[in-house]
């Protein structure tokens, strides 16, 4: 991006917010900061950020509700911060539209890297031509042009990341893809630092599509299940 990408930081702990803002500004981002959920929604509407770093535990509206309202109004990449390594919190966040999460305490270097990856994904999506084809597989119907998914006759609402992950798996049904391959192809990460992100998104896919859709190969990765 030739301009400074706008990042809205929503964090009520001032010390953490100041540290994030200082690092992002040093890395070339335009940063604004608010401390509660309602202020986040107002500022997002006025400033139109390109990415939101969003704490889960906020006064007033919590981060999950802020994320839900942001995605309903105008989808924007959201990286959630949580003080607890709680799987339920993570799955709820991913299910309502968060693209990634980090557990406190975290590395500022990794935070910057993940923000850059999310912004690159948005940039690539804006210029990519999605194949206008529909795939039917084991009761699933996946429309690549409209990015919509049906399980039987019921439409299933996936987040953009969940759709990309499912598309990656369905392109090679039955083939086991390592977490590293999925990170590279879906998230654009060149290292294995985010393997738990893959696991959490797979769990979210299973919750929405059924437990038997994606098969785990322990110690290796995941595959789209193929009917015997």
């Amino acid at each position: 991006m030739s301009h400074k990408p706008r990042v809205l930081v929503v964090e009520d702990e001032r010390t953490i917010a100041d540290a994030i803002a200082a690092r992002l500004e040093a890395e070339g981002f335009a940063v604004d900061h608010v401390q509660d959920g309602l202020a986040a929604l107002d500022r997002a509407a006025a400033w139109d950020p390109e990415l939101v770093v969003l704490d889960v535990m906020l006064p007033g509206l919590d981060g999950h509700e802020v994320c839900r309202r942001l995605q309903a109004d105008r989808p924007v990449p959201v990286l959630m911060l949580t003080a607890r390594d709680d799987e339920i919190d993570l799955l709820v966040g991913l299910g309502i539209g968060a693209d990634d999460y980090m557990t406190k305490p975290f590395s500022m270097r990794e935070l910057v890297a993940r923000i850059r990856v999310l912004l690159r994904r948005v940039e690539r999506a804006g210029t990519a031509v999605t194949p206008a084809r529909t795939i039917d597989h084991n009761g699933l119907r996946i429309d690549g042009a409209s990015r919509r998914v049906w399980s039987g006759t019921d439409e299933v609402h996936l987040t953009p990341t969940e759709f990309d992950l499912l598309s990656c798996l369905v392109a090679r049904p039955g083939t086991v893809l390592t977490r590293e391959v999925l990170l590279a192809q879906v998230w654009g990460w060149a290292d294995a630092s985010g393997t738990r992100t893959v696991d959490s998104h797979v769990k979210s896919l299973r919750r929405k599509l059924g437990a038997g859709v994606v098969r785990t190969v322990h110690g290796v990765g995941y595959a789209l299940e193929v009917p015997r």
Side-chain angles (χ1 to χ4, degrees):
M1 296 183 179
S2 57
H3 67 290
K4 286 188 175 183
R6 297 180 303 280
V7 178
L8 177 62
V9 177
V10 187
E11 169 61 71
D12 64 325
E13 294 186 47
R14 189 78 201 196
T15 302
I16 296 176
D18 288 346
I20 293 173
R23 180 59 181 265
L24 293 182
E25 287 170 350
E27 295 283 347
F29 295 92
V31 182
D32 200 357
H33 163 237
V34 295
Q35 294 180 282
D36 65 77
L38 288 175
L41 296 175
D42 289 342
R43 189 59 185 139
W47 196 46
D48 194 24
E50 289 156 88
L51 184 139
V52 178
V53 176
L54 177 62
D55 189 28
V56 172
M57 301 299 292
L58 293 169
L61 296 179
D62 68 12
H64 290 147
E65 180 61 18
V66 172
C67 182
R68 188 188 66 78
R69 295 192 189 187
L70 285 173
Q71 304 300 27
D73 181 42
R74 186 191 69 81
V76 60
V78 172
L79 191 159
M80 299 199 82
L81 304 178
T82 175
R84 298 184 302 171
D85 195 7
D86 190 320
E87 184 174 84
I88 297 300
D89 268 357
L90 302 179
L91 291 177
V92 168
L94 297 174
I96 58 178
D99 294 271
D100 198 2
Y101 67 87
M102 296 185 72
T103 303
K104 299 176 183 176
F106 51 82
S107 156
M108 287 292 176
R109 180 179 180 181
E110 184 175 356
L111 175 69
V112 171
R114 292 196 184 195
I115 287 173
R116 292 194 189 282
V117 165
L118 288 176
L119 290 173
R120 283 199 301 270
R121 286 183 59 209
V122 171
E123 197 170 23
R124 287 200 307 268
T127 58
V129 178
T130 306
R133 64 188 184 118
T134 299
I135 297 172
D136 290 289
H137 176 84
N138 199 20
L140 294 178
R141 183 157 58 93
I142 303 163
D143 187 334
S146 64
R147 296 178 65 87
R148 298 169 70 185
V149 177
W150 290 263
S151 178
T153 58
D154 297 326
E155 183 170 3
V156 181
H157 295 283
L158 301 183
T159 68
T161 303
E162 289 167 353
F163 183 89
D164 291 341
L165 176 59
L166 178 62
S167 297
C168 188
L169 291 168
V170 82
R172 284 167 283 183
T175 301
V176 181
L177 302 179
T178 66
R179 291 174 176 84
E180 291 76 17
V181 166
L182 292 170
L183 279 171
Q185 295 190 6
V186 178
W187 281 267
W189 295 0
D191 58 56
S193 63
T195 53
R196 289 200 59 229
T197 296
V198 178
D199 297 341
S200 296
H201 278 82
V202 167
K203 288 174 182 175
S204 186
L205 270 183
R206 286 172 172 156
R207 182 172 56 85
K208 294 181 179 182
L209 299 175
V213 171
V214 180
R215 176 168 57 95
T216 300
V217 180
H218 293 289
V220 183
Y222 298 102
L224 194 74
E225 191 63 277
V226 177
R228 294 181 182 276

